[in-house]
Amino acid sequence: MMDTKVFSLFKERDYSEIFENISIIGKKVDFFLECNTYDLELPTEEKFDIGLDIFEEAILKLLSLNFSDKKHIAETLCLTKDLINFIIIRLQEKKLVEGNGMDLTENGKEILCINEKNKDKKEVKFIKAKIFMLKQTKKILPYIHIGAFETELNESDREGCIFFSTENAGKIKSIKGPLLKEKKSEEEKLERLQTSTIERAINKYNRLILENEELKTIKYAHGWAINSTPSENVYFHMQAVVQDGNIDEILVSDGLIEDVDFIRKYVKNNFPGFVGNVKKNSVKNTIKSRLENDKDVERNNNKSKYYKLESIMSEINTLSYLYTISNEEDAFNQDEMQALKSEQKNFLLKCYSAIEHSLYYYDKENKLNPTIREVIKKNKNSKRNLKLIIQMAKKIGISEPQKYENLFNFIDDKRIRKMYNTEIPDMRIALSIAVLNAADNSNCQFIKLLKKRPELFDVINKFIPKRNELSHRTKVYELDKENNRKIYELLIDFINYLQPDYKFSNNINKELNISSISQEKLNAEIFLANELGTMYFYRLLPKSIRNEWMIISPGRAEYPNITEYINIMYRIMGDTLFYEIKSIKKDSKLNKKQILMKLKRSGIYSKSFETVKDVYIKNVLENKNETLGANAMVYLYYQEDKKIKELEKNKFVYTIERLVYLRGHGNHTLSTVLLTTDVKELDEIRDNMLRISRIIGES
């Protein structure tokens, strides 16, 4: 059972995300069906390929017609002159043009000649595909897979249960469900499929995906036999839901279409107990939703156009005193000033997130020029796209855009699609898209913003490393009212220009309640010193970690919101481990594989450790603070078995896994997921951390 392969179209997505127009009750239920698979060799007719994209070929043809002016070429092809320059550089790299890029080489002339002779010729090429057949009924599933076939590995050792993990934006999601399988019968020898059967399946697939932007239709050569070879069996991941308005009938989806009727009928006829469980799950979730906080329900049910941005701005408003503090702040005592510094950290992180969301919403409404998007796809990597973005940045008036390579050297088609699919903004991607859009439209809102704020690239370039440090480390900066004010005013300009229809809330809190700060700090210190040990807490624990513990110490009158609560715990645990690791003499040649092998021998295994990048391990071994997972792995590697057993007794690995999972990408947008997080669980994680920190401190 452990070696079985799992295939999923859902992975980190749920039914309600893919099929938004279907109203369901409760939540989805995962399950798996065993499928036979066939490997196909599909004949496709393709135009004779000379190895050039459409832009390169067009420019070569114009050069052969004695076009000698780049501006004339740009006007003829309706492209920008910067883009023409970029394509000519590529032609020079391929040695098809020479000199100033306007003269064809012999190779360039020859390749055009070859293309002319074969322009009407079509080649038959064979592409690999895979078709799925429900094992019990021999009916072919709607989905057809093209290209390399990758599966997940079943991680469960329980008969009749499938379990696998998937990752998205650093967040690991575990998926498990029953394998709906009838009693074993004799294995039948699979016969090759008839060409007509495969053609019908392909035609059906093509009709189903007409409006699916992620999938392309399969164009096969008619009149050719299609070879099919029986291949491995896989467990196909399905989801079942109860449809609102028709609770008598469940919907069963493969991830491509909403309801595969023959699978639904098969499940209904053969697994009535499973159908009952799907309905029970719906009832449980319906009851649970009634018990949720009324405010959270209202927020979810009445999402406005900019609801995520509004949520962040609402939290920023509660921190407005950080840039409106009176000139009497010198009168603040040390405890009050420390509280202000901690709040400033929260304020800066939220301002960064708000700017990120403002750019994201702007890009979402202002789609990239199809020609530029096609070039990005063709380039396939961020280094090539960097040249394009720098050229476009110059065009919109950014002086020395090479200074901002770390902002622009990140964009490719895969990352663009990932940002839009996950709805998790990324500053570097969103900013690069805005630049590309602006180069194509000199009268756009981003250009207007840039004219008012020519320093915005400098500010963001400095803001990113500061944000990364603040979000991962317990470090705080000195209170800087003037800087906070500048960041806030820049944020307001972003929203005013990029979201002109955004309605600002007037509910701004300009007063800081500091009446009980010292008393709360004293209570927290006494409690934490007792829990962690006086020597460790006051003498060995860095001040930055102590201050973060104060914010979430048991017994406080007020706690941060759930998102901030999780981020604080993540930072505390990561820095606690890092300061311990620094004192250990480490082998710089050690690698991830060696660490995992030793941990496995000690009885330690975690899926979150598997996803840690090798470079993170290398950095930790060189005394550079890294991700929580990397710090935890290196720390455990250098502990004796007795210490590891004590840590595991107090749920060390479980605590690390939960912190990594709950924190996810670290982006504010995840707070919408965390609305369902039980605060009691967070308190339990914090209490685990207290016990773990004491064990660490006693070494």
Side-chain angles (χ1 to χ4, degrees), residues 218-392:
I218 302 172
K219 298 176 182 178
Y220 62 95
H222 294 273
W224 287 71
I226 301 176
N227 186 37
S228 63
T229 307
S231 186
E232 77 263 71
N233 287 1
V234 299
Y235 293 123
F236 207 116
H237 178 207
M238 307 273 180
Q239 289 187 353
V241 297
V242 174
Q243 185 178 14
D244 192 8
N246 184 18
I247 62 172
D248 291 333
E249 200 72 82
I250 65 170
L251 300 181
V252 175
S253 175
D254 61 346
L256 177 66
I257 57 176
E258 297 92 331
D259 184 35
V260 186
D261 54 358
F262 69 83
I263 294 180
R264 169 170 42 82
K265 291 174 184 175
Y266 168 71
V267 170
K268 183 178 179 181
N269 292 335
N270 294 280
F271 304 97
F274 172 75
V275 175
N277 286 335
V278 174
K279 293 185 177 182
K280 285 179 183 177
N281 184 72
S282 173
V283 172
K284 287 179 183 177
N285 281 287
T286 302
I287 294 172
K288 181 181 177 182
S289 68
R290 293 174 187 152
L291 301 176
E292 290 178 349
N293 183 280
D294 289 339
K295 186 177 179 181
D296 289 340
V297 173
E298 183 179 351
R299 187 190 304 171
N300 285 335
N301 290 342
N302 298 289
K303 291 179 179 177
S304 69
K305 183 178 180 181
Y306 305 120
Y307 76 98
K308 291 178 182 176
L309 182 59
E310 288 172 351
S311 174
I312 304 169
M313 291 303 295
S314 175
E315 294 180 40
I316 289 175
N317 284 342
T318 66
L319 299 169
S320 60
Y321 55 80
L322 289 166
Y323 55 88
T324 57
I325 296 172
S326 70
N327 292 326
E328 299 175 0
E329 62 252 39
D330 290 341
F332 294 144
N333 63 38
Q334 184 176 342
D335 295 340
E336 294 162 350
M337 186 57 69
Q338 183 55 52
L340 288 170
K341 289 178 184 178
S342 295
E343 290 290 67
Q344 175 184 253
K345 179 176 190 171
N346 198 15
F347 170 78
L348 289 172
L349 288 171
K350 292 189 187 330
C351 284
Y352 180 94
S353 185
I355 292 173
E356 203 170 39
H357 276 77
S358 177
L359 281 165
Y360 169 74
Y361 281 120
Y362 177 74
D363 292 342
K364 203 172 179 182
E365 285 200 4
N366 298 273
K367 301 296 183 183
L368 267 178
N369 180 303
T371 302
I372 295 176
R373 184 65 188 271
E374 187 64 29
V375 171
I376 289 175
K377 287 182 181 179
K378 294 281 185 183
N379 284 339
K380 293 185 178 179
N381 65 62
S382 56
K383 287 186 178 180
R384 281 191 166 185
N385 287 322
L386 173 62
K387 295 179 182 178
L388 174 63
I389 298 171
I390 286 177
Q391 286 181 350
M392 298 305 183

Side-chain angles (χ1 to χ4, degrees), residues 101-282:
M102 307 304 289
D103 299 317
L104 291 178
T105 64
E106 290 302 318
N107 285 341
K109 294 174 183 177
E110 184 179 349
I111 204 167
L112 281 181
C113 183
I114 292 172
N115 186 50
E116 185 64 26
K117 289 180 180 178
N118 295 280
K119 64 181 180 180
D120 297 323
K121 181 180 177 182
K122 288 188 177 179
E123 296 180 299
V124 175
K125 294 184 178 180
F126 289 87
I127 60 172
K128 294 186 179 299
K130 190 174 280 285
I131 208 164
F132 303 85
M133 177 187 287
L134 190 58
K135 187 171 183 179
Q136 302 295 338
T137 64
K138 305 304 178 191
K139 288 191 175 183
I140 296 174
L141 269 61
Y143 176 72
I144 298 174
H145 188 82
I146 302 296
F149 183 62
E150 296 181 1
T151 58
E152 311 292 337
L153 186 64
N154 175 27
E155 301 168 14
S156 174
D157 56 2
R158 287 178 53 199
E159 187 69 30
C161 182
I162 301 293
F163 173 88
F164 72 97
S165 301
T166 184
E167 181 183 6
N168 181 39
K171 177 182 175 183
I172 297 174
K173 180 177 181 180
S174 297
I175 298 170
K176 61 181 177 180
L179 169 61
L180 303 187
K181 188 176 181 180
E182 297 179 46
K183 292 182 179 180
K184 290 184 178 180
S185 57
E186 291 186 12
E187 289 289 330
E188 296 181 31
K189 185 177 179 181
L190 295 177
E191 302 293 337
R192 292 172 62 180
L193 298 175
Q194 294 183 357
T195 295
S196 58
T197 301
I198 299 173
E199 287 181 342
R200 284 196 297 272
I202 293 174
N203 293 338
K204 181 179 179 181
Y205 171 82
N206 286 340
R207 290 195 301 272
L208 290 171
I209 65 163
L210 282 177
E211 297 181 3
N212 191 320
E213 295 180 358
E214 296 180 10
L215 299 171
K216 293 182 179 179
T217 56
I218 302 172
K219 298 176 182 178
Y220 62 95
H222 294 273
W224 287 71
I226 301 176
N227 186 37
S228 63
T229 307
S231 186
E232 77 263 71
N233 287 1
V234 299
Y235 293 123
F236 207 116
H237 178 207
M238 307 273 180
Q239 289 187 353
V241 297
V242 174
Q243 185 178 14
D244 192 8
N246 184 18
I247 62 172
D248 291 333
E249 200 72 82
I250 65 170
L251 300 181
V252 175
S253 175
D254 61 346
L256 177 66
I257 57 176
E258 297 92 331
D259 184 35
V260 186
D261 54 358
F262 69 83
I263 294 180
R264 169 170 42 82
K265 291 174 184 175
Y266 168 71
V267 170
K268 183 178 179 181
N269 292 335
N270 294 280
F271 304 97
F274 172 75
V275 175
N277 286 335
V278 174
K279 293 185 177 182
K280 285 179 183 177
N281 184 72
S282 173

Side-chain angles (χ1 to χ4, degrees), residues 473-505:
R473 309 279 79 90
T474 54
K475 179 179 179 179
V476 295
Y477 291 93
E478 288 297 317
L479 182 66
D480 190 338
K481 170 188 169 184
E482 186 61 22
N483 179 67
N484 291 345
R485 183 184 61 77
K486 288 179 180 178
I487 293 291
Y488 178 77
E489 289 175 352
L490 176 64
L491 164 61
I492 298 304
D493 279 340
F494 260 83
I495 298 173
N496 278 331
Y497 280 90
L498 304 187
Q499 285 79 45
D501 56 338
Y502 180 89
K503 296 180 180 179
F504 285 91
S505 170

Side-chain angles (χ1 to χ4, degrees), residues 399-645:
S399 61
E400 299 183 76
Q402 293 85 351
K403 294 189 301 183
Y404 311 118
E405 281 194 8
N406 63 313
L407 291 179
F408 301 144
N409 190 21
F410 194 71
I411 193 169
D412 57 37
D413 185 60
K414 183 178 179 181
R415 286 170 174 152
I416 292 173
R417 286 189 286 108
K418 186 176 182 180
M419 183 178 77
Y420 287 133
N421 289 341
T422 61
E423 296 185 340
I424 298 177
D426 187 294
M427 180 75 82
R428 292 170 295 181
I429 295 175
L431 189 62
S432 295
I433 292 174
V435 170
L436 293 172
N437 269 325
D440 195 48
N441 180 5
S442 59
N443 195 38
C444 68
Q445 291 301 110
F446 186 77
I447 291 288
K448 294 175 183 177
L449 171 63
L450 189 57
K451 285 179 179 177
K452 181 177 181 183
R453 291 285 191 170
E455 80 282 8
L456 73 84
F457 284 95
D458 282 321
V459 175
I460 291 175
N461 202 29
K462 294 174 183 175
F463 205 167
I464 286 179
K466 179 181 282 191
R467 178 260 182 186
N468 291 341
E469 186 173 36
L470 289 173
S471 63
H472 285 88
R473 309 279 79 90
T474 54
K475 179 179 179 179
V476 295
Y477 291 93
E478 288 297 317
L479 182 66
D480 190 338
K481 170 188 169 184
E482 186 61 22
N483 179 67
N484 291 345
R485 183 184 61 77
K486 288 179 180 178
I487 293 291
Y488 178 77
E489 289 175 352
L490 176 64
L491 164 61
I492 298 304
D493 279 340
F494 260 83
I495 298 173
N496 278 331
Y497 280 90
L498 304 187
Q499 285 79 45
D501 56 338
Y502 180 89
K503 296 180 180 179
F504 285 91
S505 170
N506 294 320
N507 183 24
I508 298 178
N509 173 24
K510 293 188 177 181
E511 295 183 3
L512 172 62
N513 181 13
I514 57 175
S515 59
S516 61
I517 286 178
S518 292
Q519 184 61 56
E520 283 218 349
K521 182 179 179 182
L522 179 61
N523 294 342
E525 276 197 10
I526 293 171
F527 181 89
L528 292 169
N530 182 58
E531 289 295 308
L532 297 173
T534 304
M535 177 68 74
Y536 180 60
F537 181 76
Y538 285 110
R539 303 293 295 276
L540 300 177
L541 201 63
K543 186 177 180 180
S544 62
I545 300 179
R546 290 207 309 269
N547 290 333
E548 294 256 36
W549 266 121
M550 300 290 186
I551 301 172
I552 61 169
S553 172
R556 288 184 62 89
E558 292 184 11
Y559 285 87
N561 63 42
I562 289 177
T563 307
E564 187 58 16
Y565 194 174
I566 291 167
N567 286 332
I568 289 172
M569 289 195 292
Y570 181 96
R571 294 194 293 259
I572 289 174
M573 200 72 252
D575 278 8
T576 298
L577 292 171
F578 173 68
Y579 282 105
E580 290 299 315
I581 292 167
K582 282 181 72 175
S583 63
I584 299 171
K585 186 178 180 180
K586 298 175 286 296
D587 178 5
S588 60
K589 295 180 181 179
L590 189 64
N591 60 45
K592 174 181 171 180
K593 185 177 180 181
Q594 292 171 313
I595 292 176
L596 289 175
M597 286 177 63
K598 184 187 175 185
L599 295 185
K600 188 176 181 180
R601 288 197 297 270
S602 300
I604 301 292
Y605 173 76
S606 170
K607 188 68 177 177
S608 63
F609 290 169
E610 296 280 357
T611 61
V612 173
K613 295 180 180 179
D614 291 271
V615 67
Y616 295 166
I617 299 294
K618 184 176 183 295
N619 287 342
V620 175
L621 293 171
E622 293 175 356
N623 281 336
K624 297 174 184 176
N625 206 344
E626 263 300 347
T627 63
L628 176 56
N631 288 348
M633 288 173 66
V634 174
Y635 174 78
L636 284 174
Y637 180 86
Y638 285 102
Q639 304 308 306
E640 296 178 354
D641 286 345
K642 183 179 178 181
K643 185 69 166 286
I644 290 177
K645 288 180 181 178

